[in-house]
Amino acid sequence: MFKPTVGPIVGHTTTHQTRLFLRGTPRKNISVFAGIRYRRAGEVCWLNSIFAKLEPVRDGCEVIALNELSADTEYEYQAGWFSPAGPMHTVETAQQLPLQWPQDLYRFRTPSNTTTKPRAYIVGSCRYLRMTGGMPVLPHRSDRIFASIMQQVHHAQPPVSAVLMTGDQVYVDDLNIVAPDRELNDIFSKYRAAFSQPNISQLMSSVPTYMILDDHEIEDNWPANKSNKDDYLYTNAMTAYEIYQASHSPIPELLDNGRVSSTLNRYWYQFTEGDIEWFVTDSRTRRNLSTADRRILDQAQEIALCEWLINSSARVKFVVTSVMFYPDKKIQGDDAWKAFPEQRLRLLETIRQHRIKNVIFVSGDVHGSLTSRLTHSEDPDFEVHTVVSSPLSNSKLLPYANAASFILDQPLARTAEGEYRHALTGAVISQDNFAHLVVDAGQIRVSYHDHEGKLLQQTDIPLR
């Protein structure tokens, strides 16, 4: 067996299940299979081995589910792919072959089922990896921050439960002016290069990783910049996104054979850890730009989000939106929620009128990081916060945001009942960084670190 060419990636993980992504090398007219075997850390005997056939139409990628796991338990696993000599092999016959597994041993931990246990998360976005002629240029620059994240993971208490990548994990459009990538194989190559660098690969093989797309997975400021010729680009970009990012999320249905379905009907999703819940929105592909009913979230998604906010019993509710919920940017802010004020106000009024506490909006996109508090002039019980983390790795061609980039001296919204007012709760960070969130009984501690792991800023958000 050979090592995976991309992965393994630990995806959606619960107290009893995890989803593992991996890629082999597809071969024309030759069957290719992938396998995973696993056991509790420190044990000698393997609990199970699961195999799947790899298809060229999916670029040789597959997601395998491990079921009937125990809560708060460390598991170790091996993963690989192979091509049997005979052309007539099936998954059942291939797994009977005498296989020599790759020596690499990976580990992950299932979450605790203790509801009130403190939890920790890593949040980041905008990882720029330049590609020229199909090859990454200076890839260590975009990969070095993941080594620092791994150091944080190794020493973190409480343990890091998950990594949230909130958009622009790849830049499909990095050379749009010179040589735009529109072909599916070219987009696949960008994903393979981005996800196979050594440090990010090590991180994703051990910590559950949740992803959502933003514009650069398709094209800058999508769909505002869409042309009549971009349908082909969109189809290919979303095919690659579904295979490499959405496939190991909570969205796909779990099948009886230990696989997950390749059919997706949406990109937004939810997941839960104890008394903490996450709602990861798709704020990019369901936009309506018409003047009659402008939406950044489609109607079904808005209804689901509002119902979740109202009915969820979670003590802390994180809402991920790849573009900033607030504050608004002075320039080029129309790509974010600033351009959809009616829908944003509906969400804020839902939170305020139902007196929902501990709502945190998490986003990236702007190449600057910050925390901010939103209040209401006539309702002292209303309060929401935002945590922005961007970029993981910037391009020298793209500027960083700073405090002067945002509209901070005006109310976010006005109604007959009062004004929504916001203020920064820390400095705006204008360099490569990631956020480390720790949720305990009384607060959320947000710590920003640079690409070397150095602490840049720390903010505490009191829970109510």
Side-chain angles (χ1 to χ4, degrees):
M1 297 180 74
F2 302 98
K3 290 178 58 175
T5 53
V6 180
I9 298 173
V10 182
H12 176 49
T13 302
T14 70
T15 55
H16 61 276
Q17 180 207 101
T18 193
R19 303 179 179 202
L20 298 175
F21 168 100
L22 77 165
R23 178 186 183 271
T25 299
R27 297 179 175 179
K28 188 176 182 180
N29 300 324
I30 298 177
S31 296
V32 179
F33 298 89
I36 290 173
R37 64 178 182 178
Y38 64 100
R39 64 192 176 193
R40 291 181 179 87
E43 293 189 352
V44 176
C45 296
W46 297 99
L47 292 172
N48 198 6
S49 300
I50 304 174
F51 293 82
K53 188 175 182 180
L54 304 182
E55 302 292 350
V57 71
R58 294 183 57 79
D59 198 35
C61 300
E62 192 52 82
V63 177
I64 295 174
L66 310 186
N67 297 306
E68 300 181 2
L69 306 179
S70 299
D72 199 15
T73 301
E74 189 173 43
Y75 288 87
E76 54 191 23
Y77 68 101
Q78 290 178 308
W81 66 277
F82 60 98
S83 296
M88 302 304 293
H89 276 291
T90 66
V91 169
E92 290 72 25
T93 62
Q95 63 186 314
Q96 302 301 321
L97 298 172
L99 298 171
Q100 184 171 352
W101 292 75
Q103 293 184 349
D104 296 76
L105 194 64
Y106 309 97
R107 293 192 175 194
F108 70 91
R109 176 175 287 277
T110 54
S112 169
N113 55 14
T114 302
T115 302
T116 57
K117 188 173 184 177
R119 315 274 176 167
Y121 305 92
I122 299 294
V123 176
S125 66
C126 307
R127 185 277 185 100
Y128 183 81
L129 174 65
R130 181 167 218 171
M131 300 279 288
T132 300
M135 298 293 294
V137 178
L138 301 175
H140 65 280
R141 290 187 178 178
S142 75
D143 193 46
R144 60 187 177 181
I145 197 165
F146 297 104
S148 298
I149 293 175
M150 277 303 302
Q151 287 297 314
Q152 196 75 20
V153 168
H154 285 319
H155 298 100
Q157 286 297 330
V160 173
S161 296
V163 174
L164 279 296
M165 295 188 180
T166 64
D168 296 341
Q169 281 70 254
V170 299
Y171 279 65
V172 169
D173 60 344
D174 67 340
L175 289 175
N176 257 11
I177 297 176
V178 179
D181 283 327
R182 307 176 69 84
E183 300 300 325
L184 184 58
N185 285 336
D186 292 333
I187 299 173
F188 279 156
S189 71
K190 289 193 170 180
Y191 273 97
R192 293 196 294 264
F195 288 178
S196 63
Q197 299 306 313
N199 294 323
I200 190 174
S201 183
Q202 182 185 10
L203 174 66
M204 295 193 300
S205 70
S206 59
V207 183
T209 303
Y210 294 83
M211 303 174 177
I212 191 65
L213 81 162
D214 198 21
D215 54 342
H216 292 291
E217 272 90 356
I218 311 167
E219 183 178 75
D220 188 33
N221 289 347
W222 182 272
N225 290 346
K226 178 183 177 182
S227 71
N228 294 331
K229 300 179 181 179
D230 279 343
D231 288 341
Y232 182 73
L233 163 66
Y234 180 78
T235 298
N236 288 337
M238 299 317 298
T239 296
Y241 171 75
E242 290 185 5
I243 291 172
Y244 277 92
Q245 298 199 53
S247 63
H248 47 82
S249 76
I251 306 169
E253 178 186 1
L254 182 65
L255 303 177
D256 293 337
N257 60 0
R259 306 261 299 282
V260 297
S261 172
S262 59
T263 301
L264 302 176
N265 56 15
R266 56 180 168 84
Y267 300 135
W268 52 271
Y269 59 88
Q270 304 169 41
F271 68 97
T272 302
E273 274 205 311
D275 58 2
I276 300 167
E277 292 188 5
W278 294 77
F279 193 112
V280 181
T281 68
D282 170 14
S283 57
R284 184 56 65 179
T285 74
R286 297 298 186 205
R287 298 186 178 199
N288 185 344
L289 302 183
S290 70
T291 55
D293 184 26
R294 288 184 65 83
R295 290 178 173 274
I296 194 169
L297 309 180
D298 59 291
Q299 185 177 29
Q301 189 176 180
E302 180 182 348
I303 291 172
L305 175 56
C306 289
E307 289 180 347
W308 172 77
L309 286 167
I310 294 167
N311 298 321
S312 169
S313 60
R315 182 173 61 96
V316 179
K317 300 179 178 70
F318 287 106
V319 181
V320 175
T321 165
S322 56
V323 294
M324 285 187 64
F325 193 68
Y326 79 92
D328 294 331
K329 287 190 71 176
K330 295 176 181 176
I331 301 174
Q332 297 180 333
D334 288 345
D335 187 49
W337 283 84
K338 176 185 178 182
F340 305 87
E342 295 85 0
Q343 190 172 45
R344 178 168 62 182
L345 183 58
R346 288 197 299 269
L347 290 178
L348 292 176
E349 288 287 270
T350 296
I351 296 169
R352 188 178 69 83
Q353 292 173 5
H354 288 86
R355 313 189 80 77
I356 304 169
K357 300 184 185 302
N358 301 328
V359 178
I360 315 295
F361 287 91
V362 178
S363 60
D365 181 55
V366 294
H367 292 218
S369 294
L370 60 89
T371 58
S372 180
R373 176 174 178 258
L374 184 68
T375 58
H376 192 274
S377 62
E378 308 302 322
D379 188 346
D381 197 46
F382 172 85
E383 177 180 291
V384 302
H385 290 260
T386 189
V387 175
V388 181
S389 182
S390 168
L392 290 163
S393 175
N394 205 5
S395 164
K396 290 185 177 181
L397 302 177
L398 301 174
Y400 290 99
N402 54 44
S405 304
F406 303 102
I407 302 172
L408 302 172
D409 58 352
Q410 300 175 23
L412 186 70
R414 294 184 176 91
T415 70
E417 297 181 356
E419 297 177 344
Y420 286 96
R421 300 169 177 171
H422 57 292
L424 297 178
T425 52
V428 176
I429 296 171
S430 305
Q431 63 185 92
D432 292 359
N433 71 92
F434 64 91
H436 178 204
L437 278 58
V438 176
V439 185
D440 60 26
Q443 67 181 11
I444 302 172
R445 173 158 291 176
V446 183
S447 304
Y448 290 105
H449 300 261
D450 69 9
H451 69 268
E452 295 179 342
K454 177 183 175 183
L455 179 65
L456 299 173
Q457 181 171 284
Q458 187 169 282
T459 302
D460 292 338
I461 300 174
L463 297 175
R464 299 183 295 154

